[in-house]
Amino acid sequence: MRKKATLCWSCRPADGMADFIKDARGRRIDYARISVTDRCNLRCVYCMPGDGVPYIAHDDILRYEEIMFLCAVLSGMGVRKIRFTGGEPLVRKGLMAFLADFRKSFPDIAVSLTTNASLLERYADPLAQIGLSGINISLDTLDPEKFRHITRVGNVEDVTRGVASAIAAGMTNIKTNTVLMRGFNDGELPSLLSYAWENRITPRLIEFMPLGDDVWQSGMFMGADEILAGLTELYGEWRLVGPEHSAAAFPRGPAKYYEDPQNRIVGIISAVSSHFCSDCNRLRVTASGRMRSCLFSRAETPLLELLRNGDEDGTKQAILLGINAKPDWWERERDGTLRMSNIGG
Ligand code: SAM
Ligand code: SF4
């Protein structure tokens, strides 16, 4: 029988819980990425097989009230930033109402969304009204044919219209995330960066992560040093600056930000070459409520039943156990059969 959740969503617990949690290696965990759906309207070649992934049964997906309960527990444990992701979060029905509720319930938590932006035109106004702390838009290419190739089914015009609508609606903390792949989009760097800068967006360049052995090719990989050298060749010297120079609403994150002589900012995320494991502050929860403390590891902590039962103590204990199993270094745990679609971005 389902127990009633008793946690007050808008207040901190007075049960002696520490203001924040540290894992067994002393890393402060204050950032959660929660996948609200396993479904997506695109099929990016590095993320999903062409015919998609078998959908998780409706009943096995976290309901919004369960996600809210999870957020309340995480907030009580010191999590200060929550990013909703997917699959594609904007395909889940009811997301606007959920985010509006979330914003009211957790005014102190930075809330952001990662999206492919292909449905953003429809949701830009409500999202702007909700007042997200930031929105990350995945954009690997502006070339319509390449976009169709990398996403298998998408139209880049949907994304650019979505971005324009977000800006027109008054959203400001916008970042683009570009996975740089040699031979695919490295030659497009100037146009991707100009597009971002002209729209007052912070562009971020991401190393291609070796998640699925069937799609990742070392020849396509471009490390942060090489990316920075390419940027220097194009624009002159870059100066390392703090995250406050970016659209980052929450200053702790894996990106390093650089400024060029014309005060333009770019972020580089070196998830592979100079991994940030020693400083990693995040945990992930999949759409079916499996918590993962490391993107590259198969280790998971099931939370769905605990959340469904409104079991606050059980959920906290499970989260703590999962966090303490966080590996010290991603390569030790790497499982080459995983793709982002198995995990939730
Ligand atoms: N559908 C949303 C989107 O595309 O923004 C959110 C989920 S998606 C899985 C989150 C991010 O993961 C995207 O920016 C995508 O580019 C990134 N991603 C997926 N597989 C990746 C890989 N192997 N290396 C680097 N980034 C990857
Ligand atoms: Fe969908 Fe995002 Fe994966 Fe592309 S990267 S298939 S948009 S979940």
Side-chain angles (χ1 to χ4, degrees):
M1 169 141 138
R2 192 158 177 215
K3 276 201 272 163
K4 196 170 174 294
T6 52
L7 203 62
C8 166
W9 290 344
S10 53
C11 54
R12 307 292 304 278
D15 61 358
M17 199 79 184
D19 268 355
F20 55 84
I21 13 169
K22 283 192 173 176
D23 72 1
R25 293 171 180 84
R27 290 170 293 193
R28 176 175 169 166
I29 310 297
D30 53 12
Y31 173 27
R33 296 173 72 102
I34 300 178
S35 178
V36 295
T37 179
D38 58 326
R39 302 181 184 210
C40 188
N41 53 344
L42 303 185
R43 295 278 176 277
C44 300
V45 294
Y46 51 68
C47 180
M48 285 203 188
D51 45 4
V53 283
Y55 285 150
I56 300 171
H58 188 69
D59 250 13
D60 297 333
I61 296 282
L62 288 179
R63 301 169 186 140
Y64 282 126
E65 69 264 28
E66 291 158 359
I67 300 177
M68 201 70 108
F69 184 69
L70 169 65
C71 293
V73 174
L74 290 171
S75 156
M77 296 175 83
V79 165
R80 286 290 156 266
K81 172 177 173 179
I82 295 184
R83 173 175 299 284
F84 294 108
T85 178
E88 172 47 42
L90 293 180
V91 303
R92 180 153 178 187
K93 283 197 188 119
L95 186 74
M96 296 305 116
F98 166 74
L99 289 175
D101 253 17
F102 179 95
R103 186 63 298 166
K104 273 192 217 120
S105 303
F106 302 103
D108 298 336
I109 292 194
V111 57
S112 48
L113 198 68
T114 295
T115 172
N116 63 36
S118 54
L119 299 172
L120 187 55
E121 188 178 18
R122 193 183 305 167
Y123 293 112
D125 283 329
L127 283 172
Q129 275 165 26
I130 288 164
L132 296 180
S133 314
I135 184 163
N136 287 3
I137 291 171
S138 305
L139 181 63
D140 294 336
T141 175
L142 285 162
D143 178 297
E145 276 176 30
K146 283 182 172 180
F147 189 86
R148 173 57 60 98
H149 169 78
I150 198 82
T151 63
R152 292 197 181 97
V153 292
N155 292 309
V156 74
E157 291 83 8
D158 294 340
V159 177
T160 48
R161 277 202 313 274
V163 171
S165 307
I167 295 165
M171 293 177 77
T172 47
N173 289 335
I174 306 177
K175 294 184 234 126
T176 47
N177 283 341
T178 299
V179 180
L180 260 199
M181 291 164 276
R182 190 191 318 284
F184 176 70
N185 57 1
D186 49 334
E188 237 193 293
L189 205 46
S191 49
L192 285 162
L193 295 181
S194 298
Y195 170 75
W197 291 328
E198 280 160 16
N199 286 292
R200 293 171 190 262
I201 291 171
T202 304
R204 306 198 310 172
L205 307 170
I206 302 179
E207 290 179 346
F208 188 16
M209 293 187 264
L211 281 166
D213 284 342
D214 50 340
V215 280
W216 192 81
Q217 295 164 28
S218 57
M220 291 180 87
F221 175 79
M222 296 179 69
D225 290 349
E226 185 184 356
I227 296 173
L228 190 57
L231 288 171
T232 305
E233 209 169 288
L234 284 167
Y235 302 99
E237 283 302 313
W238 292 79
R239 186 174 68 92
L240 186 64
V241 292
E244 66 280 3
H245 286 75
S246 75
F250 189 75
R252 296 181 71 219
K256 279 191 179 155
Y257 290 95
Y258 297 88
E259 185 175 38
D260 83 345
Q262 295 185 55
N263 304 109
R264 295 176 297 201
I265 301 290
V266 66
I268 301 180
I269 302 185
S270 54
V272 183
S273 65
S274 91
H275 58 81
F276 33 81
C277 302
S278 60
D279 219 16
C280 182
N281 62 341
R282 62 185 59 187
L283 55 84
R284 292 166 195 268
V285 181
T286 69
S288 54
R290 292 170 287 127
M291 188 191 115
R292 305 178 67 104
S293 58
C294 174
L295 177 62
F296 292 95
S297 156
R298 230 171 224 290
E300 292 181 335
T301 309
L303 299 178
L304 185 126
E305 282 311 309
L306 295 163
L307 296 169
R308 206 149 274 184
N309 290 330
D311 182 349
E312 181 187 342
D313 286 340
T315 305
K316 277 183 192 166
Q317 291 315 318
I319 291 171
L320 286 174
L321 276 177
I323 284 174
N324 275 329
K326 192 174 172 73
D328 56 350
W329 186 30
W330 68 274
E331 252 183 318
R332 236 188 282 296
E333 297 284 325
R334 187 173 109 74
D335 174 336
T337 65
L338 290 172
R339 287 203 202 179
M340 203 64 108
S341 55
N342 305 115
I343 305 163

